[in-house]
């Protein structure tokens, strides 16, 4: 990774934490002056504060027709105003135990962040490619991201994640969505352990640290069978059960790059849980409204995590006083649906107008049998079981309610897989890959509760318990270390889709130079390599005149609405779309109207020479 990219990503991460902390400091002081929220809870809620800031900017961006993210100076001014407010409020963390925090930071950074820094980027093709292009469309002045299909696309993916990335890019001039993607990954490495700690602290103030360690450092036993560093980037090729594989039921491996909306939604889910717990005990309306807003924010980032948030709300509402249970659940869910409707309202309207949804998932991800999945947790299993017993025995109601909801959701996802439910073409909504992360997070919190109880009950044996804990951590961390070493090698080879640090995609490359001349208002046609065309979408947000996904029969740009997908297919069959820019292999004969264009770029992509013909009007408007 270049020094500039590393500095940009670290600065983005710091600004996200700082701005989010200030938002939370102001909100807690005004709305919950008596709430006992320590640094753990406030640190976790800081990402909620930043997402709320980004969503507010996104709403203004929609209202103003793309002005907020399309004009470079607006977001930095808003961020600077928040920083000034935080300075005068003296809103910064106090009382941090650095002697404990620093070793943990070094350990998880070495495992999960170092591979990205060494290799150059942790962004991967697949879903991340779409997120990059959608974010570029916001940065080029689009009100909402709509995708690479000309005319027909109405994006049915929540824009919360893209609003966050766009805000991060605008906060640090000269950065881009790839840098922001890596920065968000750095943050999630610490936010997910904070989430486990915050859940565990609902039951015991001593349970935070062991829960954080459990969720970030306790893997399975795949390393025993592997005998050498191994990490499988395709679950279908798994060789060690569900261990040492991406998208494992053990979410340790989801701390490895890249960052996805699911992981950000998981952290927001815990933020919602904290406010739901407050709303259950606080009869004021404002407590329910705040909880509902955060539940809604979860949905704007990840719809599957919203399902978990709704279930957590329902089960926790039973803990409210008599006469308040239905009111608590309905109030929180009602407010959440209003917030969620910022994105879902237009999507529902398109659903009704354009004939419903079509299935755009080429293949569902790997789903594991329950014994195989649980086995991937390794030493976490007995600790989580012990914690569950303590929760039931001691009536630790909040964490118990969340655990029950996650177990129920996992049961439904197992049933969906067993009975083949398609859910109107959206079977991914209840895919096991969406149910295991919150269940694993709760399991880590339960493990922290068990470890805290053992520590508190045996004060005379604390030296021995500390030694046993160290052994558990060393054995548990062996698998993440193996995975980290293997993934570093994969990243350095630019294998398995980790291609964004290649020279072909770096600053000054042919792809970047051509993308700099395009924006979402233009349609590009690439002859001879559809992957090159999609990279242009990723780095500019432009539309594609044609595209072929070998995994799909038609609707190759994954248009969700049935009628619009059919119209796109018909247009392609009729010869496709007229292009504003043409990219062809060098030496390819072209019409005079292309040769006479004022801007012609030449360069190399994947060992082939290419020529790009850019319309004069685009060239002039770009200031060339």
């Amino acid at each position: 990774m270049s020094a500039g990219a590393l500095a940009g990503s670290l600065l983005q991460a710091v600004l996200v934490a700082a701005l989010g902390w200030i938002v939370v400091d102001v909100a807690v002081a005004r709305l919950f002056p008596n709430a006992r929220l320590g640094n753990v809870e406030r640190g976790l809620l800081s990402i909620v504060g930043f997402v709320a800031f980004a969503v507010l900017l996104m709403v203004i961006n929609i209202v103003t027709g793309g002005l907020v993210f399309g004009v470079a100076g607006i977001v930095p001014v808003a961020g600077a105003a928040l920083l000034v407010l935080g300075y005068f409020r003296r809103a910064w963390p106090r009382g941090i135990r650095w002697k404990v925090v620093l070793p943990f930071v070094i350990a998880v950074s070495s495992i999960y962040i170092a591979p990205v820094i060494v290799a150059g980027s942790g962004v991967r093709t697949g879903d991340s490619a779409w997120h990059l292009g959608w974010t570029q469309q916001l940065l080029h002045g689009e009100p909402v991201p709509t995708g690479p299909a000309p005319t027909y696309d109405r994006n049915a993916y929540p824009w919360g994640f893209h609003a966050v990335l766009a805000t991060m890019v605008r906060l640090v001039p000269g950065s881009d969505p790839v840098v922001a993607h890596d920065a968000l990954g750095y943050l999630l490495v610490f936010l997910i352990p904070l989430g486990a700690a915050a859940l565990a602290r609902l039951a015991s103030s001593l349970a935070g640290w062991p829960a954080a360690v459990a969720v970030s450092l306790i893997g399975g036993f795949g390393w025993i069978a592997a005998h050498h560093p191994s990490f499988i980037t395709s679950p279908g090729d798994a060789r060690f059960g569900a261990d040492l594989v991406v998208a494992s039921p053990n979410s340790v491996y989801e701390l490895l790059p890249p960052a996805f909306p699911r992981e950000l939604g998981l952290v927001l889910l815990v933020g919602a849980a904290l406010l739901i717990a407050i709303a259950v005990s606080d009869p004021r309306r404002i407590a329910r409204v705040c909880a509902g807003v955060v539940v809604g924010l979860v949905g704007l980032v990840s719809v599957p995590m919203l399902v978990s948030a709704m279930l957590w709300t329902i089960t926790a509402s039973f803990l409210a006083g008599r006469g308040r249970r239905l009111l608590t659940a309905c109030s929180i869910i009602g407010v959440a649906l209003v917030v969620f409707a910022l994105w879902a309202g237009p999507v529902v309207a398109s659903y009704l107008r354009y004939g419903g949804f079509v299935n755009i998932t080429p293949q569902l991800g790997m789903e594991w049998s329950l014994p195989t999945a649980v086995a991937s947790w390794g030493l976490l299993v007995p600790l989580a079981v012990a914690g569950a017993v303590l929760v039931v025995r001691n009536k630790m109601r909040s964490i118990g309610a969340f655990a029950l909801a996650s177990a129920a959701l996992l049961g439904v996802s197992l049933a969906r897989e067993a009975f083949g439910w398609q859910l109107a073409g959206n079977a991914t909504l209840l895919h096991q890959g969406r149910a295991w992360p919150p269940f694993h997070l709760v399991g880590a919190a339960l493990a922290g509760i068990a470890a805290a109880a053992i520590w508190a009950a045996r004060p005379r044996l604390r030296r021995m318990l500390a030694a046993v804990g160290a052994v558990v951590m060393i054995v548990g961390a062996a698998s993440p270390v193996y995975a980290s070493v293997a993934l570093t090698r994969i990243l350095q080879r630019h294998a398995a889709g980790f291609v964004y640090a290649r020279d072909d995609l770096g600053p000054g490359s042919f792809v970047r130079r051509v993308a700099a001349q395009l924006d979402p208002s233009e349609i590009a046609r690439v002859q001879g390599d559809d992957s090159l065309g999609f990279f242009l979408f990723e780095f500019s947000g432009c539309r594609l005149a044609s595209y072929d996904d070998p995994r799909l029969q038609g609707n190759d740009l994954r248009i969700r609405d049935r009628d619009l997908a059919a119209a796109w297919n018909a247009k392609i069959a009729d010869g496709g779309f007229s292009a504003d820019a043409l990219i062809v292999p060098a030496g390819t004969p072209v019409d005079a109207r292309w040769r006479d264009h004022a801007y012609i770029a030449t360069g190399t992509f994947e060992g082939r020479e290419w020529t790009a013909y850019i319309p004069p009007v685009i060239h002039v408007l770009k200031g060339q």
Side-chain angles (χ1 to χ4, degrees), residues 116-308:
V116 176
I117 296 175
V118 169
S121 176
V123 182
R124 190 184 186 192
T125 54
D127 287 354
S128 296
W130 291 83
H131 299 314
L132 294 176
W134 284 324
T135 303
Q136 286 286 3
Q137 291 181 331
L138 289 180
L139 295 171
H140 281 88
E142 295 286 289
V144 294
T146 53
T151 308
Y152 299 119
D153 201 4
R154 302 291 186 276
N155 181 22
Y157 197 101
W159 42 245
F161 188 74
H162 317 126
V164 169
L165 291 180
T167 302
M168 294 171 68
V169 172
R170 286 300 186 214
L171 284 172
V172 181
S175 62
D176 59 42
V178 174
V179 172
H181 219 293
D182 283 329
L184 190 58
Y186 302 161
L187 286 168
L188 289 172
V189 166
F190 302 106
L191 286 168
I192 290 177
L194 270 179
L199 280 179
R201 282 165 57 91
L202 290 172
S204 169
S205 59
L206 297 176
W209 269 113
V213 169
V215 81
S216 58
L217 294 176
I218 296 183
F221 297 109
W223 57 278
I224 295 177
H227 298 298
H228 59 82
S230 178
F231 186 64
I232 295 93
T233 55
S234 176
D237 297 331
R239 299 189 298 276
F240 313 108
D243 197 28
L244 286 172
V245 64
V246 69
S248 170
N250 184 331
S251 294
V252 157
Y253 307 101
E254 290 169 14
L255 293 173
L256 293 165
F260 285 123
R262 175 185 54 199
E263 282 70 53
L264 179 57
L266 180 64
V267 176
L268 294 177
L269 173 64
V270 181
L274 295 179
L275 293 178
I276 291 168
I278 291 175
V280 165
S281 59
D282 188 336
R284 294 180 302 154
R285 180 185 303 172
I286 190 62
R288 300 190 296 273
V289 169
C290 289
V293 167
V294 178
V295 171
L297 292 178
V298 174
L300 292 179
V301 170
S302 172
V303 177
M305 289 301 121
L306 176 65
V307 175
S308 287

Side-chain angles (χ1 to χ4, degrees), residues 429-456:
L429 186 65
L430 292 178
H431 187 270
Q432 287 184 35
R434 277 66 172 173
W436 277 110
F439 191 67
H440 179 263
L441 194 70
V442 170
L446 295 174
I449 292 169
I454 294 171
W455 181 266

Side-chain angles (χ1 to χ4, degrees), residues 95 114 213 236 303 318 341 347 381 409 411 423 441:
V213 169
V303 177
F318 282 96
V347 171
V381 173
L409 180 60
L423 304 177
L441 194 70

Side-chain angles (χ1 to χ4, degrees), residues 313-374:
T313 298
I314 293 169
T315 54
S317 294
F318 282 96
L319 306 179
R322 287 185 177 274
R324 291 183 51 240
R325 294 170 182 170
L326 184 61
L327 174 65
T328 299
C330 291
S331 298
I332 294 175
I333 291 176
V335 173
L337 291 176
V338 171
V339 175
F340 184 55
L342 294 172
W343 165 78
V347 171
V348 171
S350 293
Y351 177 90
L352 297 175
R353 181 181 179 185
Y354 297 115
F357 289 156
V358 294
N359 187 4
I360 59 173
T361 303
Q363 181 180 355
L364 284 176
M366 182 76 177
E367 294 186 287
W368 312 90
S369 67
L370 189 60
T372 302
V374 173

Side-chain angles (χ1 to χ4, degrees), residues 84-118:
V84 170
L85 175 63
Y87 175 79
F88 284 109
R89 287 183 58 87
R90 299 182 180 274
W92 47 73
R94 296 177 176 83
I96 296 178
R97 298 168 58 195
W98 291 109
K99 291 183 178 180
V100 181
V101 170
L102 284 178
F104 181 78
V105 168
I106 292 171
V108 297
S109 297
S110 300
I111 295 174
Y112 301 111
I113 296 178
V116 176
I117 296 175
V118 169

Side-chain angles (χ1 to χ4, degrees), residues 358-412:
V358 294
N359 187 4
I360 59 173
T361 303
Q363 181 180 355
L364 284 176
M366 182 76 177
E367 294 186 287
W368 312 90
S369 67
L370 189 60
T372 302
V374 173
S376 72
W377 287 21
L379 293 172
L380 183 62
V381 173
L383 288 171
V385 170
V389 171
L390 288 172
V391 165
V392 173
R393 180 179 298 174
N394 298 330
K395 298 180 179 180
M396 300 172 181
R397 301 195 301 168
S398 292
I399 184 65
F402 300 144
L404 179 63
S406 291
L409 180 60
L410 178 61
V412 172

